[in-house]
Amino acid sequence: MEILSEMKANDPDFNYTVQVDEESRIKTLMWVTSRGFDQYRCFGDAITFDTTYRTNLYDMPFGLFVGVNNHFQSIIFGGAMMRDEKEDTFKWIVREFIRMVGGKHPQTILTNQARAMELAIEVELPNTVHRWCKWHVLKKANESMGVLWSKNSNFKMEFHKLVHHMITEEEFGAGWQDMLEKYNLRKHPFLTQIYEVQHKWAKPYFRGVFCAKMNSTQRSESANHLLKGYVPSGCPMHLFLKQFEKLQFDRESEESFQEKSTLLSGVSLRLNLPIERHASKVYTRAMFEKFDEELYKCGTHVLDEIVPRKIYKSTHIDAAAREKWSKVMVFFRLSKIPEKHIMKRWTRDARDVLPAYLVRYQRDRGPPSSDTFRHHTMYMKALECVLLGDSNVKCYDVFMAMMKEVQAALVPLSSDKDGMGLAEREQQNQLLVQNEQETLELQGCATRSHCDGESSCSVIVGQQKKRPRGRPTTSRDKALYEEHLKRLQFCTICRSQGHKCTTCPERGDVPKAPRKLPKCLNCGVLGHRSNACGTKKSGPFEPNFL
């Protein structure tokens, strides 16, 4: 708790919250850094959440909220350390996370198949699309399908084709039924179960759902793997927080490198089309490479104009590839990508997101519309000072010091409003927004029971250690919903469970060998052994036990 207070002092926007039990021991601990808050404001539309294990001395599962930035890098929004994985715990975590990032709900959240997490998301994020990750679905398939998942069977290839390449619901349903019929798996429990919840993981149900290229919690899994490179097994709590802070610093350094790479280095054009040149100026380097790859694939499509300028038919030269990209834009000879098809989160200005009262100054809004002469004059003079202050470090220090003095002098004078400023004209709308936010905060405070920020935490008792005997392991512990999974054995003849091919009742090529009866060495009769024989053998060869 002292380290959390120190982190709060060094970073005023750092936020943390603690939930305690009846014995004043930590039940759930959660925090969001200022960097995570800023990142969520720009890239919080699609997130993943997953838990990892064996990262601390108390065997408390650790959960990560992870997203992806405009360079397709994994970014960490926040972390949560919990004692259990029950529904109430996940509700508290989701509720507190949304509160600490400003109240904005994500469009999509990807998790594993934990039922408790699913119920919590339905209550706390009713308008957010919840999907499962494919990684866990394929992992369960590997554990449940037995020999059908081996290299000698085509079932694995066909199953992956259904999961990754089917586009429409009808196509997926028809392909699934053909697979069940081909391998006689209509009564298979695992396939029956996952087909009933196909809307949670099948690709056709991801249409219209923005996932930022994250159709799996692989982002969270990779972040968890990266975390274990910084945090040793059985790590004390204070060391865990310090190492997590170091991980965040390294991730920010890699992100800064990609930002400089986008600004300073150029890109190579494959086709030298006007729309390609426009994309190279709008998108980041990583996003442009993906755009250029899809643009290159346009050559594999043949476009037929059914109704002029209205209806077109795109046919792939190889129907089995099932490509979905259309070259309508190239066919129209567009020199730029239409604005409605450009997502700001993938552009170079993705972080140009200002508060509501300053949104008019965003670069994507164009020049600010100044209705008054004084506003325009001050705006231009401020831009000139910014240009001079960015010359060197000394100019920056002088600029910041003078701006603080100017701000301190203007604050008391600005209390007298004349009604001619641009801000006053939007005051009514701002008051409505602020009232809604205050109402949400009051509702959250009324239902919260935690130790927040710098409030008194002296009543918290030290956590009980649960470190087992022996050397700590770095292997991944299994979640509760994975513990009951066992590899089932199937008969290779009838595809049924409970027996092998050697004892299959449908096997008729090899007759069962009759049971061989034992032969007595004393009397020579079949059916018993010499130690149970009633006839005692006598003669010169009788052993003398004396």
Side-chain angles (χ1 to χ4, degrees), residues 14-73:
F14 176 81
N15 198 357
Y16 68 94
T17 176
V18 179
Q19 186 184 35
V20 297
D21 58 7
E22 295 78 6
E23 299 178 357
S24 297
R25 299 188 186 276
I26 293 179
K27 183 179 179 181
T28 314
L29 171 64
M30 187 171 181
W31 65 87
V32 173
T33 62
S34 60
R35 182 66 174 175
F37 176 82
D38 295 336
Q39 296 275 33
Y40 185 86
R41 186 178 58 179
C42 303
F43 309 110
D45 44 9
I47 65 175
T48 68
F49 180 78
D50 195 23
T51 53
T52 186
Y53 309 90
R54 295 177 181 173
T55 58
N56 55 82
L57 186 62
Y58 311 99
D59 283 344
M60 297 177 66
F62 180 70
L64 280 175
F65 288 94
V66 180
V68 58
N69 60 10
N70 54 342
H71 301 286
F72 287 94
Q73 293 176 308

Side-chain angles (χ1 to χ4, degrees), residues 246-366:
K246 183 178 179 181
L247 169 63
Q248 284 278 67
F249 177 80
D250 292 345
R251 300 301 300 174
E252 293 174 8
S253 300
E254 295 181 6
E255 186 176 353
S256 300
F257 174 79
Q258 289 295 332
E259 284 285 335
K260 294 180 180 178
S261 177
T262 299
L263 294 176
L264 301 179
S265 62
V267 295
S268 58
L269 305 180
R270 285 188 179 183
L271 306 176
N272 199 24
L273 295 173
I275 193 173
E276 187 181 19
R277 291 195 294 270
H278 177 247
S280 65
K281 299 177 181 178
V282 174
Y283 292 128
T284 61
R285 184 183 181 92
M287 183 60 192
F288 172 75
E289 291 176 356
K290 294 184 178 295
F291 175 85
D292 205 31
E293 181 181 356
E294 297 297 331
L295 189 64
Y296 179 77
K297 294 178 181 178
C298 292
T300 60
H301 287 260
V302 177
L303 193 68
D304 298 323
E305 191 174 18
I306 307 301
V307 179
R309 311 291 293 184
K310 290 185 178 181
I311 301 177
Y312 299 85
K313 179 181 179 181
S314 178
T315 306
H316 195 275
I317 57 177
D318 185 7
R322 302 181 185 275
E323 299 291 349
K324 60 181 179 180
W325 185 267
S326 172
K327 64 174 187 177
V328 175
M329 295 183 183
V330 181
F331 181 79
F332 287 162
R333 296 178 177 85
L334 296 179
S335 59
K336 294 183 178 181
I337 305 174
E339 291 293 335
K340 64 180 180 179
H341 295 303
I342 299 178
M343 293 191 66
K344 184 177 180 179
R345 71 164 344 269
W346 301 124
T347 64
R348 298 167 180 251
D349 299 332
R351 291 176 177 79
D352 184 29
V353 180
L354 299 177
Y357 60 92
L358 296 176
V359 70
R360 67 175 71 89
Y361 299 109
Q362 289 184 179
R363 288 190 291 268
D364 59 338
R365 296 298 183 93

Side-chain angles (χ1 to χ4, degrees), residues 65-273:
F65 288 94
V66 180
V68 58
N69 60 10
N70 54 342
H71 301 286
F72 287 94
Q73 293 176 308
S74 296
I75 51 178
I76 300 176
F77 298 130
M81 192 171 291
M82 64 205 81
R83 186 184 301 175
D84 55 56
E85 297 181 84
K86 298 180 180 179
E87 179 182 351
D88 293 338
T89 302
F90 284 126
K91 284 183 180 179
W92 187 88
I93 290 175
V94 174
R95 181 168 59 250
E96 291 302 310
F97 173 75
I98 296 299
R99 180 187 66 85
M100 287 191 286
V101 295
K104 175 185 174 183
H105 289 201
Q107 299 180 19
T108 310
I109 182 170
L110 298 169
T111 67
N112 54 30
Q113 303 172 32
R115 179 60 177 170
M117 189 182 303
E118 181 179 356
L119 295 175
I121 292 175
E122 290 179 359
V123 175
E124 300 297 334
L125 302 175
N127 298 324
T128 299
V129 179
H130 179 212
R131 290 291 185 266
W132 289 349
C133 71
K134 295 180 182 178
W135 183 85
H136 288 281
V137 174
L138 296 176
K139 182 177 181 294
K140 277 193 172 183
N142 182 25
E143 296 174 350
S144 304
M145 299 312 300
V147 295
L148 286 175
W149 205 259
S150 62
K151 296 181 180 180
N152 298 327
S153 175
N154 294 328
F155 174 82
K156 181 178 180 180
M157 181 182 65
E158 296 185 16
F159 188 84
H160 276 271
K161 187 176 182 180
L162 284 173
V163 172
H164 298 294
H165 299 292
M166 296 301 175
I167 297 178
T168 64
E169 292 87 346
E170 296 79 9
E171 188 180 26
F172 177 81
W176 188 272
Q177 297 301 325
D178 293 341
M179 181 189 68
L180 297 182
E181 187 69 26
K182 180 179 179 180
Y183 294 96
N184 192 20
L185 297 173
R186 292 195 174 276
K187 296 182 179 180
H188 195 279
F190 169 74
L191 296 179
T192 303
Q193 178 185 4
I194 63 172
Y195 187 73
E196 292 176 354
V197 289
Q198 55 182 307
H199 61 281
K200 287 286 187 180
W201 58 272
K203 183 177 180 178
Y205 297 93
F206 280 79
R207 287 191 306 167
V209 178
F210 180 73
C211 296
K213 303 288 288 185
M214 298 187 304
N215 57 356
S216 172
T217 56
Q218 186 178 1
R219 296 277 177 180
S220 296
E221 291 288 340
S222 60
N224 288 331
H225 180 74
L226 184 64
L227 177 65
K228 290 187 176 181
Y230 287 80
V231 180
S233 299
C235 183
M237 197 75 76
H238 64 281
L239 180 59
F240 182 92
L241 292 173
K242 288 184 175 293
Q243 293 299 106
F244 183 84
E245 193 174 14
K246 183 178 179 181
L247 169 63
Q248 284 278 67
F249 177 80
D250 292 345
R251 300 301 300 174
E252 293 174 8
S253 300
E254 295 181 6
E255 186 176 353
S256 300
F257 174 79
Q258 289 295 332
E259 284 285 335
K260 294 180 180 178
S261 177
T262 299
L263 294 176
L264 301 179
S265 62
V267 295
S268 58
L269 305 180
R270 285 188 179 183
L271 306 176
N272 199 24
L273 295 173

